Amino acid sequence: MTLRTRLTLWYTAVLALVLVAFGGAVYTLLSLSLVRQIDTTLNIAADEIRLAFRRDVEGIHLPPMALDLTANVYVQVWDTEGNLIATNISVAQEPFDPDRLAEAETAYSEASYEGIHLRVLTYPLASQPEGTVVGTMQLASSLTTADDAQRALLVLLMGGGLIAVVLAALVGWTTAAAALHPLEQMTETALQITHADDLSRRIPLSGPAEGEVGRLIVAFNETLERLENLFETQRRFLADVSHELRTPLTTILGNLDLMRKMGQLDAESLDAITSETQRMKRLVQDLLVLTQAESGNLPLGKEEVELDTLVLEVFQQSKVLAKDRVEVHLGQEDQARVTGDRDRLKQVLLNLMSNAIEYTPAGGSVTLGLACVGDWARVTVTDTGPGIPQDELPHIFERFYRVDRSRKRTERGGAGLGLSIAYWITRSHDGRLEVASEVGKGTTFSVWLPQSGEGCGDASARH
Ligand code: ADP
């Protein structure tokens, strides 16, 4: 059953239930009040007769006024022998309600007399002051008018109710259709996306974005956006990996071919093969680290790391790396401790330093510094290199991203993974990696890590 049908059915059923309950209550109340009105009339008439009758040796005498009652109250007075001794309706010679007459107790009842529906009050007549029962009277009033009123009300309630239910069903059906239209549109679009394999489509937002359906559409579109990005990243990743692997493999195959043709081993070719194989190994290792870090599964040590000592170590190694091409300086050096994996953190700093040294032209300088900022330790790597254009900055930490894609791969064999790895390792340490750059002036990378200890001061005292 469709949601539309279900909504309409529920809506209609609830309305029908309310109408039945309401109609039932109105009908019962009206019926009761009609009967009560007749009962009151019968009771008043009975009282009049009870007070006016007289009994002597000849029998029971009723004053003529007692029988001159309102036209629609009929009276029969029966003696204890079962003889009709007085009545205002001579055509009725049988008791109105024989059963109640036999019981001779005060009671209201309903009876049918020659097809006429009657309300009957049976009332024993007692002589005063002795209180002996001398007869029984039965007063009756026709229920035809009340029955007609009840029937008319029933027809009105049922007819009106039916029309209301049908109208409600129609309104419910159309309202549900209008409310569910965006959902159908969503289903349609989702199917189109599946069939056409086109994740770039979006569902148009026709109503307000804050409504339930609006929020669903916005959420669905956001999911599509994310999926599209994921697929695009996946596709680019595969293309990048294949591209990065193809170059070393071509070199290896070329050198193997060469040696086969020469019929002997060649030292130069073997060197090339070794270097390319190492490049591939590095790439695969980097990819493994990246995949593990991204999924939060990178095995990380949880040791106390003296960040200032680590910074000094990286500084020494960087100086060796820079040779005399660029100057490497040590800037501010506070004391700071963090909890984490020393080797991985060193990898982060070395990646940043080797990038800075690599991209800074000869004669430039690179400065490494460590500062305490509140509860955080900040390691900065600042260079006087070419800088990174603003529009490239948001992508710099993406896998395989290189600012100048046509740039020849360097000695280090950077495949555009270094910054991604640095970013993810920092994140795995609950830290963050930031970059600020100005084209033509230089770049500063800042690694923010939460400090573990309280100690934050000038490290020069210790070294
Ligand atoms: P790569 O292996 O190519 O160095 P990275 O992920 O380490 O890959 O860096 C991505 C890109 O960011 C580099 O290709 C380079 O264009 C740019 N980049 C990184 N560091 C710097 C820097 N200090 N100065 C200028 N550009 C940089």
Side-chain angles (χ1 to χ4, degrees):
M1 202 190 287
T2 62
L3 184 58
R4 187 183 178 188
T5 319
R6 250 183 300 161
L7 279 176
T8 314
L9 278 183
W10 268 108
Y11 180 63
T12 318
V14 169
L15 184 86
L17 216 70
V18 170
L19 282 181
V20 165
F22 179 74
V26 168
Y27 183 81
T28 317
L29 281 178
L30 183 97
S31 309
L32 283 178
S33 117
L34 283 174
V35 171
R36 200 162 299 141
Q37 217 175 323
I38 293 171
D39 287 355
T40 313
T41 316
L42 292 178
N43 201 24
I44 290 171
D47 267 354
E48 268 178 44
I49 297 173
R50 187 171 57 82
L51 294 172
F53 91 96
R54 191 170 50 77
R55 183 180 179 250
D56 55 23
V57 281
E58 288 166 26
I60 297 168
H61 302 280
L62 291 175
M65 51 76 74
L67 293 176
D68 186 20
L69 292 164
T70 41
N72 55 353
V73 176
Y74 311 115
V75 186
Q76 288 179 334
V77 182
W78 302 84
D79 65 11
T80 43
E81 310 293 304
N83 302 312
L84 181 62
I85 45 176
T87 181
N88 66 348
I89 172 157
S90 50
V91 286
Q93 292 298 310
E94 295 299 316
F96 296 133
D97 188 347
D99 298 340
R100 292 289 172 291
L101 186 67
E103 284 167 18
E105 274 173 14
T106 308
Y108 288 101
S109 59
E110 279 181 30
S112 180
Y113 192 90
E114 291 183 2
I116 302 169
H117 192 195
L118 291 177
R119 182 74 174 165
V120 179
L121 169 60
T122 309
Y123 204 105
L125 276 178
S127 67
Q128 298 299 336
E130 311 88 51
T132 13
V133 175
V134 292
T136 307
M137 63 177 162
Q138 276 200 327
L139 294 99
S141 183
S142 164
L143 280 171
T144 318
T145 324
D147 286 346
D148 285 349
Q150 277 176 315
R151 209 166 301 121
L153 181 70
L154 199 66
V155 169
L156 192 80
L157 284 175
M158 282 185 39
L162 204 71
I163 292 172
V165 166
V166 171
L167 267 179
L170 280 176
V171 170
W173 184 250
T174 23
T175 318
L180 296 176
H181 178 66
L183 288 185
E184 272 175 18
Q185 233 180 345
M186 276 181 80
T187 316
E188 194 63 30
T189 314
L191 285 175
Q192 279 173 8
I193 290 167
T194 317
H195 292 151
D197 233 349
D198 179 7
L199 279 174
S200 66
R201 288 190 192 211
R202 298 288 176 271
I203 298 169
L205 189 67
S206 43
E210 313 82 51
E212 290 86 346
V213 176
R215 287 218 309 275
L216 182 63
I217 293 179
V218 170
F220 191 74
N221 282 343
E222 275 170 10
T223 310
L224 281 179
E225 177 112 31
R226 190 148 162 63
L227 274 180
E228 191 186 3
N229 285 343
L230 274 178
F231 274 109
E232 178 54 25
T233 314
Q234 194 86 351
R235 197 195 54 72
R236 229 180 28 227
F237 174 72
L238 275 177
D240 286 337
V241 172
S242 332
H243 179 77
E244 291 301 327
L245 287 177
R246 203 178 51 206
T247 323
L249 279 174
T250 314
T251 315
I252 292 169
L253 281 174
N255 279 296
L256 285 174
D257 244 12
L258 184 74
M259 285 194 287
R260 192 173 294 119
K261 275 184 195 140
M262 283 165 55
Q264 64 183 59
L265 292 179
D266 171 52
E268 219 173 288
S269 296
L270 285 176
D271 282 351
I273 290 173
T274 310
S275 126
E276 290 304 314
T277 315
Q278 272 165 352
R279 186 202 291 276
M280 282 191 349
K281 190 180 163 200
R282 264 201 313 271
L283 179 72
V284 172
Q285 272 172 344
D286 281 355
L287 279 176
L288 184 67
V289 170
L290 207 52
T291 318
Q292 285 177 324
E294 276 180 3
S295 59
N297 294 325
L298 182 68
L300 282 179
K302 283 249 174 285
E303 55 201 285
E304 279 281 293
V305 181
E306 275 178 6
L307 213 50
D308 39 288
T309 319
L310 187 69
V311 164
L312 268 184
E313 240 176 81
V314 172
F315 170 64
Q316 302 297 355
Q317 281 190 24
S318 305
K319 277 215 298 203
V320 177
L321 196 70
K323 297 177 189 132
D324 283 331
R325 209 178 59 80
V326 288
E327 283 178 39
V328 179
H329 301 290
L330 191 60
Q332 181 181 359
E333 219 221 337
D334 288 347
Q335 266 184 5
R337 283 167 190 278
V338 294
T339 310
D341 193 309
R342 195 173 199 281
D343 289 344
R344 292 292 180 207
L345 289 175
K346 189 171 178 183
Q347 189 181 1
V348 171
L349 301 188
L350 277 176
N351 275 0
L352 297 178
M353 282 304 277
S354 55
N355 269 352
I357 292 166
E358 184 178 334
Y359 295 115
T360 303
S365 71
V366 174
T367 311
L368 178 64
L370 166 62
C372 286
V373 185
D375 293 339
W376 294 83
R378 184 189 65 193
V379 184
T380 44
V381 175
T382 309
D383 65 50
T384 57
I388 302 164
Q390 286 300 312
D391 54 333
E392 307 269 5
L393 282 179
H395 306 288
I396 200 96
F397 301 121
E398 288 172 14
R399 289 183 293 197
F400 293 110
Y401 194 85
R402 278 190 297 235
V403 173
D404 183 359
R405 294 213 138 225
S406 60
R407 187 154 55 194
K408 206 172 122 282
R409 257 196 291 122
T410 55
E411 283 266 308
R412 200 164 56 86
L417 291 178
L419 283 182
S420 304
I421 291 177
Y423 175 84
W424 280 103
I425 291 179
T426 315
R427 273 200 51 173
S428 308
H429 281 83
D430 297 326
R432 56 185 199 274
L433 179 56
E434 289 174 354
V435 58
S437 188
E438 207 175 321
V439 174
K441 287 209 168 157
T443 309
T444 299
F445 281 95
S446 309
V447 183
W448 293 85
L449 293 167
Q451 287 194 64
S452 59
E454 300 213 334
C456 187
D458 191 349
S460 51
R462 208 164 60 201
H463 301 290

